[in-house]
Amino acid sequence: MISNTMLQALNEQINEELFSAYLYMAMSAYFQDKNLSGFANWMEVQALEEFTHAKKFYDYIVERGGRVALDAIKKPQGEWKSPEDAIAAAYGHEQHISGCINRLMDLALSEKDHASVAMLQWFVTEQVEEEASADAILSKLKMVSGGNGLFYIDRELGKRVFSAPAAKED
Ligand code: FEO
C-alpha cells in the first residue's frame, strides 16, 4: 500500500499530465490555425504522449491498491503571440512538470517508499528529454526568427510519429 499523502500526490500528477495533454492539443489547434501543420503534428504527438504519462500514474496507483481519483482539468490557454511564444510556453510548462516530478520524488524518498522511487525514476529521465526537445525547437526558432526557416522547421516537425509504449508484461 502507498500512504494517503503519496496517493493524493500521485492523483494530482494524473491531473497535471492530463492538463499537459490538453494544453498541447490547444497548441496543436493554434498551429493548425496558422497553417503550420508540422508544428501541429508535433504538438498532437506530444499530447498523446502526455496521455500515456497520465496512464502510467493511473496504472501504478491501481497496482499499489490505491484508488484513482480524477479531478476537473482546467481550461488551457488558446492563443499565443507567435510560434516562438507557444514553444517557449511549452518549454516553460515542461520545466513546471519537472518540478512536480522532483517534488514527488522528494516525497517518495522522505517516506522511504522505494517502489514509488523506482517508478518515478522513469519520469525523472523522461523530463530531461521533454525539456531538451522543447528547448531544441525553441533554439531553432530563435535562429530563424523572422526568416523563411520556419517552413523547414515545420516540415521537420511534421515527421514526428507517436509510438505507443510497449504493452506491459504480466
Ligand atoms: Fe508528461 Fe511532458 O511531461
Side-chain angles (χ1 to χ4, degrees):
M1 276 295 282
I2 38 178
S3 74
N4 281 336
T5 312
M6 179 56 78
L7 175 61
Q8 192 183 335
L10 292 170
N11 268 317
E12 282 168 10
Q13 192 60 30
I14 291 181
N15 193 268
E16 288 281 357
E17 300 292 346
L18 290 176
F19 174 74
S20 303
Y22 214 31
L23 174 65
Y24 293 136
M25 284 305 286
M27 288 181 177
S28 183
Y30 162 80
F31 284 120
Q32 289 288 9
D33 190 54
K34 302 286 175 222
N35 291 317
L36 289 166
S37 59
F39 279 87
N41 170 69
W42 193 91
M43 284 297 173
E44 194 177 316
V45 172
Q46 188 67 15
L48 291 170
E49 273 198 4
E50 297 301 350
F51 187 79
T52 69
H53 293 172
K55 186 63 166 51
K56 255 184 199 288
F57 283 106
Y58 181 111
D59 289 343
Y60 178 71
I61 290 174
V62 171
E63 223 172 359
R64 298 293 309 276
R67 177 70 162 93
V68 168
L70 299 178
D71 207 342
I73 302 168
K74 70 175 190 272
K75 181 178 175 177
Q77 186 176 337
E79 280 299 331
W80 289 269
K81 290 196 294 277
S82 62
E84 188 176 322
D85 185 39
I87 298 292
Y91 180 41
H93 182 68
E94 286 305 329
Q95 289 174 314
H96 160 74
I97 294 294
S98 296
C100 295
I101 299 294
N102 288 342
R103 281 190 292 280
L104 277 171
M105 183 61 107
D106 288 344
L107 177 62
L109 288 167
S110 74
E111 291 194 354
K112 297 187 170 39
D113 179 349
H114 294 191
S116 295
V117 168
M119 186 276 293
L120 288 165
Q121 189 57 54
W122 184 90
F123 281 96
V124 171
T125 308
E126 173 71 6
Q127 280 312 118
V128 173
E129 196 184 302
E130 290 280 79
E131 283 191 35
S133 55
D135 189 31
I137 302 170
L138 187 58
S139 301
K140 283 181 191 161
L141 278 173
K142 281 179 180 160
M143 268 188 274
V144 305
S145 157
N148 56 9
L150 187 63
F151 167 78
Y152 294 100
I153 299 174
D154 189 56
R155 203 168 59 176
E156 189 187 318
L157 298 183
K159 293 177 190 158
R160 186 182 186 190
V161 289
F162 175 66
S163 51
K168 226 170 67 153
E169 286 175 32
D170 288 320

mmCIF file of all heavy atoms in Angstrom, residues 17 20 24 46 50 53 94 97 123 127 130, ligand 1:
data_model
loop_
_atom_site.group_PDB
_atom_site.id
_atom_site.type_symbol
_atom_site.label_atom_id
_atom_site.label_comp_id
_atom_site.label_asym_id
_atom_site.label_seq_id
_atom_site.Cartn_x
_atom_site.Cartn_y
_atom_site.Cartn_z
ATOM 1 N N GLU A 17 -0.679 15.690 -15.809
ATOM 2 C CA GLU A 17 -0.336 15.069 -17.100
ATOM 3 C C GLU A 17 -1.498 15.223 -18.089
ATOM 4 O O GLU A 17 -1.281 15.470 -19.280
ATOM 5 C CB GLU A 17 0.023 13.593 -16.908
ATOM 6 C CG GLU A 17 1.217 13.326 -15.993
ATOM 7 C CD GLU A 17 2.556 13.793 -16.551
ATOM 8 O OE1 GLU A 17 2.646 14.092 -17.755
ATOM 9 O OE2 GLU A 17 3.514 13.880 -15.752
ATOM 10 N N SER A 20 -1.482 18.635 -19.294
ATOM 11 C CA SER A 20 -0.417 18.795 -20.303
ATOM 12 C C SER A 20 -0.944 18.367 -21.671
ATOM 13 O O SER A 20 -0.720 19.055 -22.673
ATOM 14 C CB SER A 20 0.806 17.939 -19.940
ATOM 15 O OG SER A 20 1.287 18.263 -18.660
ATOM 16 N N TYR A 24 -1.298 20.843 -24.897
ATOM 17 C CA TYR A 24 -0.647 20.596 -26.186
ATOM 18 C C TYR A 24 -1.675 20.440 -27.316
ATOM 19 O O TYR A 24 -1.386 20.776 -28.459
ATOM 20 C CB TYR A 24 0.306 19.392 -26.088
ATOM 21 C CG TYR A 24 1.488 19.688 -25.169
ATOM 22 C CD1 TYR A 24 1.935 18.764 -24.231
ATOM 23 C CD2 TYR A 24 2.139 20.919 -25.236
ATOM 24 C CE1 TYR A 24 3.004 19.056 -23.394
ATOM 25 C CE2 TYR A 24 3.204 21.223 -24.386
ATOM 26 C CZ TYR A 24 3.626 20.282 -23.471
ATOM 27 O OH TYR A 24 4.682 20.589 -22.638
ATOM 28 N N GLN A 46 2.808 15.049 -28.955
ATOM 29 C CA GLN A 46 3.155 15.379 -27.564
ATOM 30 C C GLN A 46 1.951 15.136 -26.648
ATOM 31 O O GLN A 46 2.085 14.570 -25.563
ATOM 32 C CB GLN A 46 3.604 16.850 -27.512
ATOM 33 C CG GLN A 46 4.183 17.287 -26.193
ATOM 34 C CD GLN A 46 5.498 16.616 -25.854
ATOM 35 O OE1 GLN A 46 6.146 16.020 -26.711
ATOM 36 N NE2 GLN A 46 5.872 16.676 -24.597
ATOM 37 N N GLU A 50 1.527 12.615 -23.460
ATOM 38 C CA GLU A 50 1.115 13.039 -22.119
ATOM 39 C C GLU A 50 0.005 12.132 -21.578
ATOM 40 O O GLU A 50 -0.038 11.844 -20.391
ATOM 41 C CB GLU A 50 0.644 14.498 -22.117
ATOM 42 C CG GLU A 50 1.709 15.503 -22.497
ATOM 43 C CD GLU A 50 2.935 15.491 -21.596
ATOM 44 O OE1 GLU A 50 2.918 14.835 -20.542
ATOM 45 O OE2 GLU A 50 3.922 16.138 -21.953
ATOM 46 N N HIS A 53 1.588 9.270 -20.136
ATOM 47 C CA HIS A 53 2.181 9.575 -18.818
ATOM 48 C C HIS A 53 1.098 9.479 -17.730
ATOM 49 O O HIS A 53 1.319 8.895 -16.671
ATOM 50 C CB HIS A 53 2.780 10.984 -18.806
ATOM 51 C CG HIS A 53 3.974 11.148 -19.702
ATOM 52 N ND1 HIS A 53 4.555 12.360 -19.957
ATOM 53 C CD2 HIS A 53 4.684 10.237 -20.403
ATOM 54 C CE1 HIS A 53 5.587 12.196 -20.776
ATOM 55 N NE2 HIS A 53 5.678 10.912 -21.070
ATOM 56 N N GLU A 94 7.095 22.296 -19.442
ATOM 57 C CA GLU A 94 7.878 21.090 -19.118
ATOM 58 C C GLU A 94 8.772 21.319 -17.895
ATOM 59 O O GLU A 94 8.980 20.399 -17.099
ATOM 60 C CB GLU A 94 8.703 20.639 -20.318
ATOM 61 C CG GLU A 94 7.870 19.982 -21.417
ATOM 62 C CD GLU A 94 7.022 18.812 -20.923
ATOM 63 O OE1 GLU A 94 7.419 18.110 -19.975
ATOM 64 O OE2 GLU A 94 5.937 18.605 -21.491
ATOM 65 N N ILE A 97 6.555 20.816 -15.023
ATOM 66 C CA ILE A 97 6.302 19.380 -14.788
ATOM 67 C C ILE A 97 7.517 18.712 -14.137
ATOM 68 O O ILE A 97 7.377 17.882 -13.242
ATOM 69 C CB ILE A 97 5.910 18.658 -16.104
ATOM 70 C CG1 ILE A 97 4.557 19.175 -16.622
ATOM 71 C CG2 ILE A 97 5.859 17.132 -15.924
ATOM 72 C CD1 ILE A 97 3.350 18.861 -15.742
ATOM 73 N N PHE A 123 10.237 8.872 -14.804
ATOM 74 C CA PHE A 123 9.772 10.227 -15.129
ATOM 75 C C PHE A 123 10.892 11.257 -15.008
ATOM 76 O O PHE A 123 10.919 12.238 -15.748
ATOM 77 C CB PHE A 123 8.582 10.613 -14.229
ATOM 78 C CG PHE A 123 7.289 10.005 -14.696
ATOM 79 C CD1 PHE A 123 6.816 8.826 -14.146
ATOM 80 C CD2 PHE A 123 6.546 10.598 -15.710
ATOM 81 C CE1 PHE A 123 5.635 8.247 -14.582
ATOM 82 C CE2 PHE A 123 5.360 10.037 -16.159
ATOM 83 C CZ PHE A 123 4.910 8.856 -15.600
ATOM 84 N N GLN A 127 11.732 13.543 -18.145
ATOM 85 C CA GLN A 127 11.659 15.012 -18.118
ATOM 86 C C GLN A 127 12.901 15.665 -18.707
ATOM 87 O O GLN A 127 12.827 16.756 -19.267
ATOM 88 C CB GLN A 127 11.392 15.514 -16.696
ATOM 89 C CG GLN A 127 9.925 15.416 -16.278
ATOM 90 C CD GLN A 127 8.970 15.965 -17.324
ATOM 91 O OE1 GLN A 127 8.142 15.222 -17.836
ATOM 92 N NE2 GLN A 127 9.061 17.243 -17.666
ATOM 93 N N GLU A 130 12.047 15.595 -22.268
ATOM 94 C CA GLU A 130 10.920 16.506 -22.547
ATOM 95 C C GLU A 130 11.400 17.956 -22.617
ATOM 96 O O GLU A 130 11.024 18.700 -23.528
ATOM 97 C CB GLU A 130 9.845 16.374 -21.462
ATOM 98 C CG GLU A 130 9.093 15.066 -21.480
ATOM 99 C CD GLU A 130 8.008 15.032 -22.541
ATOM 100 O OE1 GLU A 130 8.359 14.811 -23.707
ATOM 101 O OE2 GLU A 130 6.827 15.211 -22.204
HETATM 102 FE FE1 FEO B 1 4.423 14.359 -19.019
HETATM 103 FE FE2 FEO B 1 5.680 16.403 -20.899
HETATM 104 O O1 FEO B 1 5.645 15.627 -19.224
#
